Amino acid sequence: MGLLRLSYFIFATVHICHGTLHQSFSEVESAAPYDFIVAGGGTAGSVIANRLTENPNFRVLVLEAGPSNEGVIDIDAPGLIFNLQKSPFDWNYTTVPQAALNSRSLAYARGHVLGGSSSINGMFYTRGSSDDYDRWANITGDEGWSWNQMLPFILRNEHFTSPADGHSTTGQFDPAFHNFTGNTFVSLPGLPDPLDETYLQTTNDSNGEFSFNLDMNSGSPLGLGWLQSTIGNGTRSSAASSYLGSRFINRPNLDVVLNTQISRVLTLGNGSRIDLRMVEFKSGTSETLYSVTAKKELVLSLGSIGTPHVLLNSGIGDKNELEEVGVHPILHLPSVGKNLSDQPDITLNWFVNLTVSPVNATAALNQWLETRTGPLANGIVNHVAWGRVPETSSIFQNVSDPAAGPHTPHFEFVLVSRSPQTLPTGESSLGLEIGMVTPASRGSVSLKSNDPFDTPLIDPAYYKDEVDLLIMKEAIASAERFFAGPVWKDIILGPQGAFSNVTDDQSLVQFIRESSDTTLHSVGTASMSPKGAKFGVVDPDLRLKGAKGLRIVDASIMPIVICGHTQAPTYAIAERAAELIKQAWA
């Protein structure tokens, strides 16, 4: 029995009830009013709910579209991450055809479960570079978004802990950049791999292109180092488990309602500035449209796809575009849904001279259930490398460098250490995934129709800006140099699959267009901008421009994507936002 079928069997036969989670709004309808309503119980929304209910005088309602994360083996066991996409815990979105990818549409997974995408993602814990945050501060005119001022919020989220196998981590990270008492568990890999030492030896053989980096979360990620992941005690640490887990969910001033999909935000009164503290939604199996009003603030935390989708359905966006799809505009904010920034990726494969020992699926699952150790207590990656386009490259002679600064990589190598796969031919194959992490291209989220429950149109616009394609070409060349080092001489046999057909620049470009996929790191669709600016969606304090009563707290407010995976900065954004809200209502 495969891991997918076996884990599904366990989930289907072990029903865990969490009595304090509500399955529909009808269970708490009489409990209104609430001081704060948090639309979305994902990565950011869970943090907001937790921090606001630290004050016993604040009553908070969380409305989450998905089901509970409790008791779902595929969520809890890190090694079962590939079972989560295209599952009931995924919104199962698809992008519009991508012009630069030969008109291919891509599956676009988003978490449809308490904890949001933190419950279904790859658990990579990467903060990005200090340059990224300093650029946010420069864009917004608010030093509070700079690296030095955001670092305390980054640390507040983190609970660094021992890896699943309990090995000594000396020399694998720098404790000076970590917190050991926060909410979300972070740990180093807990399962050794035969290629660990080979990857590390490459840092000595790469002529400085990939030096060893003791801690990629220091603000200077360049180089190769040990990956840190949101795993604790061999189990995924999601926003749901770390901020809405058993220690917090029973707070008397907190109600979390599942199976509740937001349709719109609604206006209150006729003041000079529209008041947007009311939210409309469906809940449970009922087709009834409910509405509820926050006494103080409504917080939208629906993510980079969900937040602009709800704003647009509410009539908040470009008034001409809204009228074209039959939505009555109430607030002209042309930047809503625009500025989508996401990172394309591509996987290269090589034939390798390695003996592969297949994992016994049943034994691995039993080991995890009994001890929270073994293959399923870890992701599939032990090491990640971050690189920049060489200074000698001609790319930036004619176009601007999209990176935030000198500490910022242009690309990421995900060194899939447990990946040597036995092919049907009996040969072994090793994969390397490249993420182009500083894209210049900008896409959008828009409406398909005026039905708020229709799916949005998602257009990441990969490689729309030519510099992204040029950087990806440089990244592939760097990957070839990486595996050309002396330590790989007797291991790498040659390229495998579509990559083996690359013989010149034309075939390389064709390979990129045919093989690129998505990292699922979209941000920017409700971007911050300076207070009073005519562009952007929220002010630096995350209040919606031109309105009152509504704040946005999720990855959509990032002006530009960081040079890494987005869950760590999303946690930090939410931690800072919680402080801003508390200060406003002190």
Side-chain angles (χ1 to χ4, degrees), residues 84-357:
L84 293 167
Q85 293 190 15
K86 300 182 181 179
S87 78
F89 309 108
D90 177 6
W91 280 97
N92 292 299
Y93 291 136
T94 303
T95 70
V96 301
Q98 296 295 286
L101 302 186
N102 295 343
S103 297
R104 290 185 295 122
S105 294
L106 306 177
Y108 209 85
R110 298 284 84 193
H112 182 257
V113 61
L114 194 63
S117 292
S118 75
S119 290
I120 72 167
N121 65 13
M123 297 161 289
F124 283 45
Y125 180 79
T126 61
R127 299 170 180 171
S129 74
S130 58
D131 301 327
D132 288 323
Y133 298 84
D134 291 343
R135 178 161 64 176
W136 290 358
N138 289 333
I139 290 172
T140 62
D142 181 350
E143 279 300 305
W145 294 109
S146 67
W147 169 259
N148 286 339
Q149 294 196 38
M150 283 296 288
L151 187 57
F153 296 108
I154 292 171
L155 295 175
R156 184 178 297 182
N157 159 252
E158 182 191 34
H159 185 152
F160 204 91
T161 190
S162 299
D165 62 358
H167 75 268
S168 172
T169 55
T170 301
Q172 295 183 353
F173 81 114
D174 187 345
F177 292 101
H178 295 278
N179 178 27
F180 300 83
T181 60
N183 287 58
T184 302
F185 285 122
V186 175
S187 64
L188 290 156
L191 187 70
D193 184 88
L195 287 176
D196 284 346
E197 292 304 317
T198 308
Y199 284 127
L200 292 172
Q201 180 59 39
T202 304
T203 66
N204 298 321
D205 300 337
S206 64
N207 296 319
E209 186 171 4
F210 291 101
S211 300
F212 177 68
N213 187 331
L214 176 62
D215 201 311
M216 63 186 69
N217 283 317
S218 64
S220 299
L222 288 166
L224 184 152
W226 293 89
L227 177 67
Q228 299 163 22
S229 300
T230 46
I231 298 172
N233 302 313
T235 303
R236 175 192 293 271
S237 186
S238 68
S241 62
S242 61
Y243 284 90
L244 296 177
S246 57
R247 289 187 297 155
F248 311 111
I249 197 67
N250 292 313
R251 287 176 177 168
N253 56 337
L254 173 64
D255 282 320
V256 178
V257 182
L258 305 171
N259 312 306
T260 299
Q261 185 173 353
I262 308 299
S263 51
R264 298 181 298 167
V265 296
L266 304 176
T267 59
L268 290 166
N270 298 305
S272 58
R273 299 178 71 207
I274 60 172
D275 188 339
L276 297 172
R277 290 176 292 121
M278 182 184 293
V279 64
E280 178 188 80
F281 52 91
K282 287 195 307 187
S283 189
T285 58
S286 172
E287 291 298 312
T288 300
L289 280 176
Y290 296 92
S291 63
V292 62
T293 302
K295 290 169 61 179
K296 290 181 169 64
E297 291 189 27
L298 170 63
V299 180
L300 278 191
S301 296
L302 298 166
S304 292
I305 307 301
T307 285
H309 190 224
V310 165
L311 289 174
L312 293 169
N313 277 304
S314 306
I316 303 167
D318 185 294
K319 62 181 181 180
N320 296 321
E321 294 176 4
L322 293 172
E323 288 171 346
E324 286 177 4
V325 292
V327 173
H328 173 66
I330 63 170
L331 179 60
H332 182 57
L333 280 181
S335 295
V336 172
K338 307 297 196 299
N339 191 50
L340 189 156
S341 176
D342 197 6
Q343 304 160 335
D345 71 2
I346 197 166
T347 299
L348 313 181
N349 292 287
W350 282 266
F351 288 114
V352 290
N353 180 28
L354 290 172
T355 301
V356 180
S357 299

Side-chain angles (χ1 to χ4, degrees), residues 383-404:
H383 294 92
V384 170
W386 308 88
R388 282 181 62 84
V389 171
E391 298 295 333
T392 56
S393 172
S394 61
I395 288 181
F396 303 127
Q397 290 180 1
N398 300 313
V399 296
S400 298
D401 182 352

Side-chain angles (χ1 to χ4, degrees), residues 410-491:
H410 293 112
F411 52 84
E412 172 193 25
F413 291 169
V414 177
L415 304 169
V416 189
S417 51
R418 272 176 280 284
S419 78
Q421 302 291 319
T422 301
L423 302 172
T425 60
E427 298 167 292
S428 295
S429 173
L430 179 68
L432 177 147
E433 182 182 342
I434 301 174
M436 195 266 125
V437 296
T438 53
S441 300
R442 296 293 180 266
S444 64
V445 172
S446 56
L447 297 182
K448 185 183 298 182
S449 72
N450 62 2
D451 178 357
F453 299 106
D454 204 351
T455 55
L457 297 174
I458 303 169
D459 182 10
Y462 297 122
Y463 304 121
K464 181 179 181 180
D465 193 305
E466 186 183 12
V467 71
D468 295 353
L469 184 67
L470 296 175
I471 292 173
M472 183 61 87
K473 289 166 63 176
E474 290 278 4
I476 291 173
S478 180
E480 292 179 305
R481 292 192 295 273
F482 184 92
F483 281 127
V487 73
W488 297 98
K489 179 181 178 182
D490 298 324
I491 297 175

